[in-house]
Amino acid sequence: MVFLRSEEHLVRWLDANGWEPGATLTAAKMNEVSRAWWESRLDPGWRPRTTQESQAILDSAGLTDDFWQLG
Amino acid sequence: MYFSIVANGRPPTADDTATAFALPVPEVEECYRRLHEAHALVLHPDSVDIRFANPFCFAPTPHRVKAGGRTWTGTCAWDALGIPAALHTDGKIDSECACCREPVGLRLEDGDLVEGADLLVHILVPARRWWDDIGFT
């Protein structure tokens, strides 16, 4: 999960490594997902999420296609 | 474990934890291994030293995160953004473009990206395979 400066750099990076594209988000969208994913991690009552709970975070960010299915 | 990480800026060793809880070191080491197997943390290979306690990373990556009065290392782009979120604080991320290795910077205020919002994040591995090789993911 890497940062890239632009779509052009993404294509060049994939080509250079011979990798098929996965999923691309803007950093702003990634931040929205990351915040929901991690913001409770240091809470005293934290407990591991179920797969369904993690999936709900992705779903609520609109990441619903097959690439984003955890199970 | 996470309270120790935030307090000390590093993960507790098995010896640290054994001392803190007055437990035998082998018992704590076994606990660490079970946490690794449950994907609650990631150990260095053939070791009980903690490599990832996501979103915090204790091995070199390009993702440096200034937040909460310390400079942390993010496991990946996702986790670099997650460190200020976990700490509930503003943050600054100094990283690099995976293609050209030029520096990229991001800054978070009140949970929002106020610098670097137009950068891209690419995820190569489909979600169901993230833990096949979490280091690569």
Side-chain angles (χ1 to χ4, degrees):
Chain A
M1 301 181 185
V2 297
F3 292 112
L4 292 138
R5 293 171 65 187
S6 67
E7 192 74 29
E8 178 191 342
H9 283 232
L10 167 61
V11 170
R12 200 185 306 164
W13 176 69
L14 290 170
D15 285 349
N17 289 287
W19 288 328
E20 293 295 315
T24 306
L25 307 176
T26 64
K29 185 68 176 178
M30 186 75 262
N31 183 50
E32 174 191 330
V33 177
S34 184
R35 188 169 46 177
W37 197 269
W38 290 121
E39 66 184 350
S40 65
R41 185 61 188 86
L42 300 178
D43 292 354
W46 184 88
R47 58 171 181 75
R49 281 193 301 265
T50 64
T51 300
Q52 290 76 15
E53 288 168 334
S54 292
Q55 194 71 61
I57 291 174
L58 300 176
D59 289 350
S60 68
L63 305 177
T64 56
D65 65 22
D66 186 63
F67 184 91
W68 294 102
Q69 298 309 304
L70 290 161
Chain B
M1 180 173 292
Y2 276 76
F3 293 110
S4 175
I5 288 169
V6 173
N8 301 315
R10 65 169 181 83
T13 64
D15 282 357
D16 292 336
T17 302
T19 300
F21 291 94
L23 291 169
V25 171
E27 187 175 322
V28 173
E29 290 177 341
E30 185 53 32
C31 288
Y32 277 30
R33 290 189 192 97
R34 285 204 303 270
L35 288 166
H36 171 89
E37 286 161 12
H39 300 165
L41 53 76
V42 177
L43 302 175
H44 285 281
D46 304 317
S47 164
V48 290
D49 292 336
I50 295 171
R51 180 183 178 200
F52 308 152
N54 303 71
F56 304 98
C57 179
F58 303 99
T61 79
H63 314 295
R64 308 291 290 167
V65 183
K66 293 175 183 165
R70 291 189 188 277
T71 300
W72 305 92
T73 300
T75 309
C76 60
W78 179 322
D79 284 2
L81 290 161
I83 289 173
L87 293 169
H88 296 271
T89 188
D90 296 341
K92 184 172 189 315
I93 300 168
D94 294 310
S95 184
E96 65 180 24
C97 172
C99 175
C100 65
R101 305 295 181 191
E102 288 293 315
V104 299
L106 305 92
R107 194 160 56 85
L108 290 126
E109 285 184 7
D110 298 324
D112 294 323
L113 264 182
V114 296
E115 280 181 30
D118 293 335
L119 292 167
L120 300 179
V121 174
H122 193 77
I123 298 100
L124 277 171
V125 180
R128 66 173 56 86
R129 290 175 36 213
W130 284 346
W131 283 94
D132 291 359
D133 180 352
I134 193 63
F136 181 75
T137 297

